[in-house]
């Protein structure tokens, strides 16, 4: 079992465990989202791609927000955590939205689960649904790596990761027509390696 089905089934199985163990204490990570949201106009429309349980983005959004995720169980939690957000179950590589539909897109711990062969397609989709001049905030991993864990977070559920790395992600963003405005490194509180970091990219279409 690989790819989409593994990730979807894994998050369906461990949704509650993930919610309990995922730390909201990622000070810089949550600050980046807060800063992005604060810069949006009141009538803005935001897409959180791979929204998971609805935190930290959807729950804190003061604008019209849409969350998309593969996992039905994660979306169930999102309805509780972000009751005002519109939610959709779907694939980031084929977003079910019109062109230029959003004023901002966020992708938090979600691109890293997409098969490497589809990373460019997903980033192209982000560009397609964003209005010109709009921001994308996305997290990735520093180096290219693919792997799996049959018992992630001691939950009994398997999970897979497909990490393109920071250099490849920069190039994919540029290929999709984005300008990379800034980068940060944030502690990865769910990584098994102590001190693991993940980069965030702020880009503009």
């Amino acid at each position: 079992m690989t790819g989409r089905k593994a990730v979807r089934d894994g998050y369906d199985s461990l949704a509650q465990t993930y919610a309990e163990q995922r730390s909201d204490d990622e000070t810089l990570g949550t600050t980046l989202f807060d800063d992005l949201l604060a810069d949006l106009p009141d009538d803005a429309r935001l897409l959180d791609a791979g929204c998971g349980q609805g935190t930290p983005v959807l729950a804190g959004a003061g604008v019209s927000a849409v969350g998309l995720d593969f996992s039905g169980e994660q979306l169930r939690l999102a309805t509780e955590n972000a009751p005002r957000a519109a939610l959709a179950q779907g694939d980031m590589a084929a977003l079910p939205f019109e062109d230029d539909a959003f004023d901002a897109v966020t992708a938090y711990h979600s691109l890293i689960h997409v098969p490497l062969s589809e990373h460019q397609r997903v980033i192209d989709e982000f560009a397609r649904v964003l209005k010109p001049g709009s921001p994308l905030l996305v997290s990735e991993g520093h180096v290219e790596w693919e792997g799996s864990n049959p018992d992630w977070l001691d939950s009994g559920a398997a999970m897979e990761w497909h990490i393109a790395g920071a250099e490849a992600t920069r190039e994919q963003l540029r290929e999709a027509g984005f300008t990379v405005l800034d980068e940060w490194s944030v502690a990865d509180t769910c990584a098994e390696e102590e001190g693991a970091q993940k980069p965030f990219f702020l880009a503009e279409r």
Side-chain angles (χ1 to χ4, degrees):
M1 181 173 62
T2 59
R4 290 177 169 83
K5 189 174 188 303
V7 172
R8 183 191 63 208
D9 291 354
Y11 273 116
D12 279 344
S13 297
L14 61 77
Q16 192 61 49
T17 299
Y18 183 82
E20 292 168 356
Q21 295 198 30
R22 166 56 63 192
S23 172
D24 288 333
D25 190 19
E26 297 180 44
T27 305
L28 178 55
T30 54
T31 297
L32 296 178
F33 288 113
D34 290 344
D35 290 347
L36 177 71
L37 293 168
D39 287 340
L40 296 177
D42 292 341
D43 61 350
R45 193 168 183 233
L46 164 77
L47 171 64
D48 188 22
C51 66
Q53 65 204 30
T55 60
V57 181
L58 296 180
V63 298
S64 176
V66 178
L68 177 130
D69 204 274
F70 235 14
S71 165
E73 188 61 20
Q74 288 279 60
L75 289 172
R76 184 189 67 77
L77 294 178
T79 63
E80 301 171 2
N81 293 324
R84 293 185 300 171
L87 301 174
Q89 188 167 10
D91 185 350
M92 293 196 301
L95 293 173
F97 308 111
E98 296 180 354
D99 296 358
D100 303 334
F102 295 98
D103 300 284
V105 171
T106 55
Y108 189 45
H109 304 322
S110 53
L111 185 59
I112 59 174
H113 293 298
V114 175
L116 291 182
S117 62
E118 299 182 23
H119 275 217
Q120 185 67 64
R121 187 188 312 173
V122 170
I123 293 173
D124 288 344
E125 280 289 273
F126 293 163
R128 180 184 67 78
V129 302
L130 271 171
K131 296 175 183 177
S134 298
L136 165 69
L137 184 62
V138 59
S139 64
E140 240 291 346
H142 281 291
V143 297
E144 181 178 338
W145 180 80
E146 293 188 271
S148 62
N149 185 330
D151 184 25
W152 190 40
L153 303 180
D154 299 320
S155 66
M159 185 52 62
E160 290 188 2
W161 295 267
H162 306 276
I163 296 172
E167 184 175 350
T169 300
R170 288 187 204 102
E171 182 56 36
Q172 289 164 354
L173 288 165
R174 295 184 183 116
E175 183 67 23
F178 285 102
T179 298
V180 178
L181 301 177
D182 214 337
E183 298 179 32
W184 303 267
S185 288
V186 179
D188 189 345
T189 57
C190 272
E192 295 182 347
E193 179 185 352
E194 186 175 351
Q197 299 276 310
K198 58 180 175 291
F200 274 79
F201 296 89
L202 177 64
E204 184 178 84
R205 175 175 179 249

